[in-house]
Amino acid sequence: MKICCVGAGYVGGPTMAMIAYKCPGIEVRVVDVDSDRIAAWNSETLPVFEPGLDDVVLKARGRNLFFSTDVDGAIRDSEIIFVSVNTPTKTYGMGANRAADLRFVEACARRIAEVAQDPKIVVEKSTLPVRTAESISRILHGTNSRNGFQILSNPEFLAEGTAIKNLEDPDRVLIGGESSDAEGKEAVEKLVSIYAQWIPRDRILTTNTWSSELSKLTANAFLAQRISSINSISAVCEATGADVDEVAYAIGKDSRIGPKFLQASVGFGGSCFKKDILNLVYLCDYFGLPEVAQYWEQVVRMNDWQKRRFSERIVKVLFNTVADKKLAILGFSFKKDTNDTRESPAIDICRALLEEKAGLSIYDPRVTKEQIKAGLSPVKGVSESTAQDDHRIQVASDPYQAADGAHALVVLTEWDEFVRLDYDRIYQSMKRPAFAFDGRNILNQSELRQIGFESYAIGR
Ligand code: UDX
Ligand code: UDX
């Protein structure tokens, strides 16, 4: 069997590498229009940092896993085509800042219709608004009536940083299709049989297409809601003297609530949560359900507020001004164990501090200098002032250099190495009073205070 995936990003790359690794009998091609990205997939330094990924790619690459820019060739030769192109939130026109921009998905569908010479199974991997499969189907059948196309929804639930573990041993795989007709059923079965090569059958769920599409949005909305819920309580903790970590632990022990996704933080980030919730909000508005739309939108608002609250607290504590003070920023990726910075809370927090004229010295173990600079470069209409603030942004090559001469330490990502730093040494190199703001609650507050830091965390 030959299969391919259009889009060699954080989702397409690791997912296809795992399929190739687990299914030596299947030839897997991953194609992308971005030739630099493909070159990186074929090099020693993969474009995506993900623990365990190098190993999986090395085992399969050249054997039955191939990366190339030959999109048409891959489409032509493949029986199953996964679509994993990006679906950013629209920044223009109708539904701006809410609806998903589907132009890449549509372009991909049109390409498939043009190039296909025999029946294809098209699998949506990108997270899409509900009923997108229907649009893809109409484009395919409208443009190419010679061949049969089956459209399946197969949303990805991997979380970055743990992608390999999630792909190897997922809680569930979800496949949506139209099992009411024989061809639809056969297509679903074909995709099931791929995953069944390493995943127990009872974890492979099949539903109708719309349930599958909606389940992805709902799963992410529920996960993000838990974070916004605990973050809202973190503000109450700060006001009352309760400790949010103790509260989270206590409620998580209730098996009905469970312990996961209750880590209070500077706010959630990543390419999916905000985008998927806004998708859901747009959908609800579209279907005349404004109450439901507002209910979910509040999860995003709470997150924005949490980020704002954190940067405001820093300014307030530093005697109401951070102008020309050096702040050491530890962590820039949206979570640990990834080099991804999309929607990272660090971006908004750094921007807010730059607006206050702070000087930032940023260190992240995996994010490149160029990526940090690009993340903070002015976005049209957001902040004109950051343009002139470029000289205020320094990227440090180690955490000690970042902290040297700083007024405050600001932890924005929960990288393990930050827990093990020599805080004595850091304290000695900083200005007095030396402040520490732990936006991830990973540092030992009492130890920091003993050293001499004036130290703050979330929800304490
Ligand atoms: C993307 C979506 O953002 C997410 O909603 C979905 O769940 C999975 O796909 P990700 O893999 O993280 O997630 O995106 P990204 O890393 O941006 O990769 C997308 C790739 O598609 C890029 O490398 C881009 O060059 C490629 N692409 C985009 C094409 O090959 N053709 C196109 O027409 C558009
Ligand atoms: C998420 C979903 O978990 C995954 O199933 C889906 O396929 C894509 O979106 P991802 O965005 O990669 O995955 O990471 P996730 O682990 O969900 O973290 C998202 C954000 O929430 C991060 O910024 C993280 O730091 C934050 N977070 C997570 C918290 O602030 N507290 C928590 O308790 C958990």
Side-chain angles (χ1 to χ4, degrees):
M1 188 195 273
K2 289 182 180 178
I3 67 174
C4 74
C5 173
V6 185
Y10 283 87
V11 170
T15 307
M16 291 299 124
M18 184 57 76
I19 292 179
Y21 169 58
K22 294 288 186 184
C23 312
I26 300 178
E27 186 184 309
V28 181
R29 285 205 237 169
V30 187
V31 291
D32 201 295
V33 291
D34 182 342
S35 56
D36 289 343
R37 212 160 199 188
I38 289 298
W41 279 111
N42 281 319
S43 77
E44 303 236 303
T45 318
L46 303 183
V48 169
F49 170 70
E50 190 65 64
L53 177 64
D54 289 24
D55 214 34
V56 172
V57 169
L58 274 183
K59 284 193 175 116
R61 196 172 60 188
R63 179 187 74 180
N64 63 328
L65 174 66
F66 305 94
F67 295 93
S68 87
T69 51
D70 181 13
V71 178
D72 290 0
I75 292 174
R76 200 174 304 118
D77 294 344
S78 297
E79 196 174 329
I80 303 182
I81 302 158
F82 291 79
V83 177
S84 190
V85 298
N86 40 332
T87 51
T89 305
K90 270 185 88 173
T91 52
Y92 55 88
M94 263 165 60
N97 304 319
R98 283 184 164 193
D101 191 339
L102 294 177
R103 63 190 159 142
F104 302 128
V105 173
E106 177 166 345
C108 192
R110 290 188 185 280
R111 205 67 223 143
I112 295 171
E114 233 161 89
V115 171
Q117 288 162 353
D118 47 21
K120 305 284 184 199
I121 298 171
V122 177
V123 183
E124 308 177 331
K125 250 307 160 205
S126 303
T127 308
L128 298 164
V130 178
R131 308 193 86 139
T132 307
E134 197 183 17
S135 315
I136 296 180
S137 172
R138 283 179 48 205
I139 293 168
L140 286 170
H141 289 110
T143 319
N144 179 338
S145 51
R146 308 179 299 281
N147 300 310
F149 293 100
Q150 287 296 327
I151 325 302
L152 303 179
S153 158
N154 174 214
E156 189 51 73
F157 294 107
L158 66 82
E160 287 170 36
T162 52
I164 294 304
K165 207 173 132 269
N166 300 152
L167 286 165
E168 192 147 36
D169 185 25
D171 287 349
R172 69 351 195 149
V173 168
L174 182 56
I175 296 171
E178 293 322 309
S179 299
S180 46
D181 60 89
E183 283 102 2
K185 209 171 187 162
E186 199 186 314
V188 169
E189 265 317 303
K190 209 164 247 177
L191 188 54
V192 168
S193 74
I194 294 181
Y195 287 111
Q197 294 195 33
W198 80 94
I199 296 160
R201 281 263 175 171
D202 61 1
R203 280 196 245 159
I204 305 175
L205 317 181
T206 54
T207 63
N208 80 35
T209 314
W210 299 332
S211 297
S212 168
E213 290 177 325
L214 185 58
S215 297
K216 172 66 190 265
L217 297 187
T218 307
N220 276 347
F222 269 58
L223 290 169
Q225 185 189 39
R226 280 174 73 94
I227 304 170
S228 273
S229 297
I230 199 69
N231 281 345
S232 76
I233 298 302
S234 76
V236 184
C237 289
E238 285 163 31
T240 57
D243 178 328
V244 76
D245 289 340
E246 290 180 352
V247 174
Y249 183 75
I251 65 166
K253 279 287 177 193
D254 184 327
S255 60
R256 294 168 302 175
I257 297 174
K260 293 178 182 166
F261 268 69
L262 288 177
Q263 177 63 54
S265 66
V266 275
F268 60 75
S271 72
C272 282
F273 279 179
K274 184 174 172 187
K275 179 182 68 143
D276 290 355
I277 293 171
L278 293 178
N279 250 320
L280 186 61
V281 167
Y282 182 75
L283 193 80
C284 295
D285 269 336
Y286 178 84
F287 285 111
L289 303 167
E291 287 79 4
V292 187
Q294 283 157 22
Y295 178 76
W296 287 107
E297 189 164 22
Q298 192 57 30
V299 172
V300 174
R301 288 192 184 191
M302 183 57 65
N303 196 50
D304 288 338
W305 183 68
Q306 183 76 351
K307 289 184 276 188
R308 210 160 51 237
R309 216 165 68 75
F310 186 73
S311 54
E312 283 172 5
R313 194 179 191 195
I314 295 173
V315 177
K316 215 177 268 168
V317 167
L318 291 180
F319 314 108
N320 287 313
T321 175
V322 290
D324 298 326
K325 287 179 181 164
K326 176 174 172 179
L327 307 180
I329 306 290
L330 299 187
F332 200 76
S333 59
F334 81 98
K335 62 189 279 198
K336 74 171 179 180
D337 291 340
T338 177
N339 60 342
D340 194 350
T341 58
R342 286 177 291 178
E343 299 290 340
S344 178
I347 296 175
D348 284 343
I349 289 160
C350 288
R351 277 175 187 269
L353 295 169
L354 288 168
E355 298 267 358
E356 292 288 337
K357 304 265 174 254
L360 305 181
S361 185
I362 305 172
Y363 167 73
D364 186 286
R366 289 285 169 177
V367 182
T368 62
K369 184 176 177 174
E370 292 68 37
Q371 224 178 320
I372 291 175
K373 290 269 183 178
L376 295 176
S377 71
V379 178
K380 216 171 102 204
V382 172
S383 163
E384 295 307 330
S385 65
T386 45
Q388 305 122 32
D389 288 341
D390 194 50
H391 67 281
R392 295 179 188 281
I393 306 167
Q394 269 168 9
V395 179
S397 53
D398 75 75
Y400 300 102
Q401 184 192 21
D404 190 27
H407 289 262
L409 274 186
V410 181
V411 175
L412 296 183
T413 311
E414 73 282 21
W415 286 100
D416 291 340
E417 68 173 68
F418 297 160
V419 181
R420 297 188 293 263
L421 296 177
D422 181 347
Y423 284 96
D424 245 325
R425 175 178 162 197
I426 287 180
Y427 179 76
Q428 295 312 328
S429 75
M430 286 175 63
K431 291 259 181 353
R432 298 286 185 275
F435 296 93
F437 298 89
D438 181 0
R440 295 288 186 167
N441 288 4
I442 53 168
L443 305 182
N444 186 326
Q445 292 296 313
S446 54
E447 246 171 62
L448 289 179
R449 292 200 182 110
Q450 238 160 28
I451 292 172
F453 280 102
E454 194 177 309
S455 154
Y456 297 83
I458 302 278
R460 290 175 185 171

